[in-house]
Amino acid sequence: MTAGPPRTTISAWRPSVPGIAEVFHAHFTEHAYPSHTHDTWALMILNDGAVDFALDRHRHDATGSGTVVLLPPGVSHDGRTVTANGFRKRVLYLDASVLPEELTGRAVDGPVFGDELLRHRIHQLHTALGHAGDGFEAESRLAFIRERLHGHLDALRPPRTPGREANRLAGALRELLDARLVSGMSLAEAAALLHAHPTHLIRCFKQTYGLPPHAYLTGKRIERARGLLLDGRRPAEVAAAVGFHDQAHLHRHFTRHVGTTPARYAGRTLRPGR
């Protein structure tokens, strides 16, 4: 008996990241979208396959994993599969805080970008959005995506290169992160407190300390977690005490940093007298 075509699969959710109205992942094999509009921007990447679509009555196509599609709000578009295997896509629906509606005309003129770096950053953002508790990282990645999209739409000057104030800004941000280790803070809040653009703030921090602020914050939390685990605290208790979303969030980052799980780290550590 011959197997039929792969089934359509869909997942959608609303993350707690400012500017992102919805995350939508789908595998379509036969579905064709009728003409419709969105109130938000639709930022799409393909995992595989190809899609053909019309935007404002002009047809376009996107193939494979090397392109990015940006569909503006309020402009009619459709979409359909090209091959029998269909296509797998990941979409971010972005509101006007990320891209203002006045950029709509430029997006209509060129909705498909062959930009591997932008595509990679969007992929990284989707990965962060798939894990509860990684909101600070997701916010940081969205800031760089926004900057790159603005660059494609010729709306912003080239990004600022960190200058003399880099060390000062980086040090001020590190103090904020250290003070808010458990409660955390949003990138927007940090940028407002330090009177700096979010992407410039991240660049200054990375230039000074060699890693982005979200990675610094995670590393500091792991460092504190190790001490609490050695004190005999349970992993679930430690996760809450150091600012992780839950035990699974601690488990994932702890294993990546230390090479073992929190429970094994605590259980196999040699203590005096053993």
Side-chain angles (χ1 to χ4, degrees):
M1 182 175 178
T2 304
R7 296 178 59 187
T8 294
T9 58
I10 290 175
S11 62
W13 69 97
R14 180 178 290 117
S16 56
V17 176
I20 303 179
E22 182 185 331
V23 183
F24 183 78
H25 293 182
H27 177 204
F28 288 129
T29 55
E30 298 176 345
H31 178 67
Y33 284 101
S35 291
H36 63 288
T37 65
H38 296 291
D39 292 332
T40 56
W41 296 82
L43 181 63
M44 180 182 78
I45 58 175
L46 295 177
N47 291 359
D48 55 59
V51 59
D52 174 90
F53 66 95
L55 177 66
D56 196 28
R57 300 182 298 278
H58 296 285
R59 298 219 70 84
H60 304 271
D61 63 84
T63 304
S65 60
T67 56
V68 175
V69 176
L70 179 66
L71 303 177
V75 181
S76 64
H77 59 277
D78 61 15
R80 63 193 183 196
T81 59
V82 176
T83 66
N85 289 328
F87 63 94
R88 299 177 189 271
K89 69 173 183 176
R90 288 176 286 172
V91 184
L92 299 172
Y93 292 97
L94 309 174
D95 64 32
S97 67
V98 180
L99 291 173
E101 289 191 23
E102 53 260 33
L103 298 179
T104 292
R106 293 172 182 173
V108 169
D109 292 339
V112 182
F113 310 131
D115 185 336
E116 292 185 3
L117 177 58
L118 175 59
R119 199 271 178 196
H120 178 64
R121 286 177 173 172
I122 296 169
H123 165 74
Q124 290 178 314
L125 175 55
H126 277 282
T127 300
L129 292 170
H131 298 294
D134 285 355
F136 187 60
E137 176 183 350
E139 227 189 324
S140 300
R141 297 199 181 283
L142 179 60
F144 281 102
I145 290 168
R146 173 188 179 274
E147 180 182 84
R148 195 139 183 111
L149 289 172
H150 270 286
H152 277 290
L153 299 175
D154 297 322
L156 287 182
R157 289 172 292 185
R160 289 175 63 192
T161 301
R164 291 182 178 178
E165 84 278 30
N167 290 345
R168 178 186 63 79
L169 277 175
L173 178 56
R174 186 173 72 169
E175 289 180 4
L176 284 175
L177 294 176
D178 288 345
R180 299 276 290 273
L181 182 68
V182 177
S183 61
M185 68 188 314
S186 71
L187 179 61
E189 182 183 1
L193 287 171
L194 299 177
H195 307 289
H197 190 277
T199 54
H200 182 62
L201 187 58
I202 296 168
R203 285 191 175 96
C204 289
F205 194 95
K206 189 170 183 179
Q207 176 178 293
T208 302
Y209 298 114
L211 75 172
H214 71 263
Y216 171 83
L217 181 63
T218 298
K220 293 291 286 186
R221 285 171 170 171
I222 293 296
E223 182 181 28
R224 182 171 293 185
R226 291 173 73 154
L228 294 178
L229 288 166
L230 294 181
D231 288 340
R233 304 272 290 272
R234 295 180 296 108
E237 185 183 0
V238 169
V242 302
F244 285 108
H245 179 73
D246 54 21
Q247 185 174 345
H249 192 209
L250 167 67
H251 180 99
R252 180 167 58 86
H253 284 293
F254 194 95
T255 302
R256 185 165 60 88
H257 276 253
V258 185
T260 188
T261 67
R264 288 176 178 172
Y265 177 82
R268 293 183 180 181
T269 300
L270 293 178
R271 294 179 173 82
R274 287 193 177 184

